[in-house]
Amino acid sequence: MSTVRTLRWFDAAAEEVHSIPQEETICVIGLGYIGLPTASALATSGWSVIGVEVDEEILAGLRAGRTAIEEPGLRLIVKAAISSGNLSPSATVQPADVYIICVPTPFTAEKTADLSYVVSVTKQIAALLRPGNLVILESTVPPGTTTEVMLPILEESGLTGGDDFYVAHCPERVIPGNLLNELIANDRIIGGLTPASAEKAKAIYQTFVDGRIHRTDATTAELVKAMENTYRAVNIALANEMALVSHELGVEVDEAIKLANRHPRVDFLSPGPGVGGHCIPIDPWFIVEKAPEAATMIRAALERNAAMPRYVIERVSEGLAVVDKELEGAHIALFGVAYKRDVDDARETPATPIIAGLEAAGASVAIYDPYVNEYYRPLAEDPLEAVRGADALLIVTDHSSFGALDLVELAEYMRERPVLVDTRSIIPLVPERWTAVRF
Ligand code: SAJ
């Protein structure tokens, strides 16, 4: 029933709106993980793009064709965009026909969205807004933000949303590590303030997106985005809970999951040390924020994932106990601070609470990650440096190179009876002299 209504609503709009001619200027605000690839994709599709970034260092790098983010293909497309002359980096928001907001929505201590960047940029756009302009929000926000927070600010310009200018929410859906491919290939959801707004935004995205573009209203699009990451967070939490259950029952969780997944309608994800990144541990809270009474299972799942670092520390302690040692005074080599496999991003990594917990218990920690350059702690140059004198090896991230670690060699550098806690089941075969703890 509701599907039929939605289709009619948008089909009527599609007839009224013509696609935007590509000579229009697009101002992309925020050149981070999403803004930079989006601005570059638009620029290489022929649009004239102003890329706004407040970080002077990032801006200077871009002007010289350098990127601060490691992503396959990104450097190439940014270089192409800059050298074509279609992408102009700028420190301030410039007048344009279309504005695309790609700023972060950080997370407060109260587990709510901090909309201060979105609000500040929206105010800057409101000051420049002209009739016929289109404002698109890509940042992930709590449902209702486009109409309840952005629209009133934009209307301070004296113009009326939907009549004088267009507004749409077009959430990003790309996975770090395969960002550019997904930017082009994935379907997009466009939520318009009005059908005409959605249609206008579609005309832009369809110039670089190969996936299908689905139109809806702004609040639905906001909820859909948060729902996607909630779906993943809840499913990871279920796998994590199975790790705890299996441990209690003396069962190997990987074996149990592998066998359960032989059912045609069962597809467990993998348990791990907890979830990181700037999306999965955060975005589901935007639903809890807006509907706390209803979202009880989501809250429980988030809490389960957040409790995994504690479980990891318990496993390290358990392993040490097997070889008559304890956390107090132990030296732990921790491998992997990236929040996930083969990326350089350590934001919200579960490694941070794990390190804090180990140290609070009196252990010392040496850290190794071949991908990460920036972390709040010094990193060892190579695996051997990190394991020297360690009692235990704790694997937090499943970087593909860790699968080829030579544990026989590593043990030579460690103390007697080394312990292995592999939170990602990345080590295929554990040599005999190691004590491996079931995760
Ligand atoms: N993880 C597990 N077990 C699994 C899968 C993942 O513990 O089986 C952990 C990872 O190690 C990591 C965390 O979950 O710490 C999140 O990783 P991820 O690969 O699931 O997701 P992100 O955060 O890199 O990207 C997600 C994606 N959302 C979905 O897949 C629904 C991406 O499409 C979104 O665009 C992105 O969030 C975002 O920016 O919102």
Side-chain angles (χ1 to χ4, degrees):
M1 183 71 186
S2 62
T3 314
V4 171
R5 199 177 61 230
T6 306
L7 283 178
R8 283 203 189 122
W9 191 57
F10 281 106
D11 286 348
E15 285 165 23
E16 289 165 22
V17 182
H18 305 288
S19 46
I20 298 172
Q22 267 190 60
E23 59 266 19
E24 294 202 345
T25 301
I26 304 177
C27 185
V28 177
I29 303 136
L31 297 180
Y33 280 85
I34 304 303
L36 183 58
T38 302
S40 305
L42 286 164
T44 51
S45 303
W47 296 93
S48 171
V49 181
I50 302 156
V52 181
E53 175 55 55
V54 289
D55 186 316
E56 281 298 330
E57 214 174 300
I58 294 180
L59 213 54
L62 275 179
R63 288 194 175 110
R66 286 194 311 272
T67 59
I69 305 160
E70 282 297 328
E71 238 341 292
L74 183 62
R75 208 163 295 173
L76 212 63
I77 192 171
V78 170
K79 261 193 158 164
I82 300 267
S83 59
S84 72
N86 281 354
L87 175 59
S88 323
S90 165
T92 51
V93 179
Q94 301 291 323
D97 304 293
V98 179
Y99 299 90
I100 304 183
I101 304 174
C102 302
V103 296
T105 38
F107 195 43
T108 69
E110 290 73 41
K111 302 201 183 306
T112 57
D114 170 359
L115 294 175
S116 53
Y117 295 120
V118 172
V119 166
S120 150
V121 165
T122 307
K123 282 181 180 161
Q124 293 168 53
I125 295 170
L128 300 170
L129 205 62
R130 296 283 170 271
N133 283 175
L134 164 65
V135 184
I136 299 172
L137 176 67
E138 279 224 18
S139 314
T140 306
V141 289
T145 302
T146 304
T147 52
E148 292 162 20
V149 180
M150 275 183 64
L151 184 61
I153 298 172
L154 292 170
E155 289 189 335
E156 283 169 18
S157 63
L159 303 173
T160 305
D163 290 342
D164 302 323
F165 65 93
Y166 304 94
V167 183
H169 177 54
C170 183
E172 57 87 7
R173 309 174 110 180
V174 291
I175 193 114
N178 192 26
L179 208 148
L180 277 174
N181 286 334
E182 291 208 353
L183 186 70
I184 309 297
N186 287 0
D187 281 16
R188 295 296 290 247
I189 310 298
I190 296 191
L193 175 68
T194 55
S197 294
E199 200 55 44
K200 279 262 191 193
K202 181 181 174 186
I204 293 174
Y205 284 90
Q206 70 189 12
T207 61
F208 70 94
V209 170
D210 283 346
R212 289 187 60 192
I213 296 178
H214 309 267
R215 289 153 299 156
T216 184
D217 63 86
T219 307
T220 302
E222 289 163 338
L223 179 61
V224 167
K225 167 67 196 187
M227 274 170 71
E228 291 163 5
N229 283 349
T230 299
Y231 175 86
R232 197 145 170 91
V234 170
N235 278 289
I236 295 169
L238 186 61
N240 283 336
E241 193 148 300
M242 286 309 156
L244 271 68
V245 169
S246 301
H247 188 264
E248 232 173 276
L249 301 178
V251 168
E252 195 73 59
V253 67
D254 292 332
E255 171 77 353
I257 284 182
K258 192 175 80 192
L259 294 174
N261 283 351
R262 299 303 300 163
H263 185 288
R265 283 175 297 284
V266 173
D267 192 10
F268 272 94
L269 292 174
S270 309
V275 296
H278 57 301
C279 309
I280 306 287
I282 296 171
D283 301 351
W285 283 109
F286 296 174
I287 295 182
V288 179
E289 175 184 341
K290 295 302 257 190
E293 300 286 319
T296 54
M297 193 185 73
I298 300 172
R299 176 189 284 274
L302 292 165
E303 286 169 355
R304 161 62 63 228
N305 290 337
M308 290 312 284
R310 170 64 26 210
Y311 178 75
V312 172
I313 294 164
E314 284 164 14
R315 298 290 67 74
V316 177
S317 173
E318 181 183 282
L320 289 169
V322 175
V323 297
D324 302 319
K325 294 179 186 173
E326 50 187 34
L327 276 177
E328 170 103 52
H331 184 50
I332 316 294
L334 183 146
F335 278 27
V337 293
Y339 82 93
K340 69 172 187 178
R341 184 187 186 86
D342 298 352
V343 300
D344 66 347
D345 188 348
R347 283 177 298 174
E348 307 289 328
T349 172
T352 301
I354 291 171
I355 294 165
L358 289 170
E359 290 182 342
S364 56
V365 184
I367 308 162
Y368 172 63
D369 192 307
Y371 284 79
V372 172
N373 301 313
E374 265 179 55
Y375 194 52
Y376 82 108
R377 291 278 297 262
L379 303 172
E381 287 290 316
D382 57 59
L384 296 182
E385 181 192 329
V387 299
R388 199 178 297 276
D391 298 289
L393 170 60
L394 167 59
I395 297 184
V396 173
T397 311
D398 48 347
H399 288 315
S400 33
S401 63
F402 291 169
L405 283 171
D406 183 347
L407 261 63
V408 174
E409 186 191 19
L410 292 189
E412 297 296 324
Y413 292 78
M414 297 177 67
R415 292 205 181 127
E416 279 301 296
R417 306 176 73 196
V419 169
L420 174 70
V421 179
D422 178 5
T423 68
R424 304 277 194 171
S425 300
I426 179 98
I427 303 293
L429 205 66
V430 184
E432 236 171 51
R433 66 188 278 194
W434 284 78
T435 298
V437 176
R438 175 180 285 149
F439 186 68

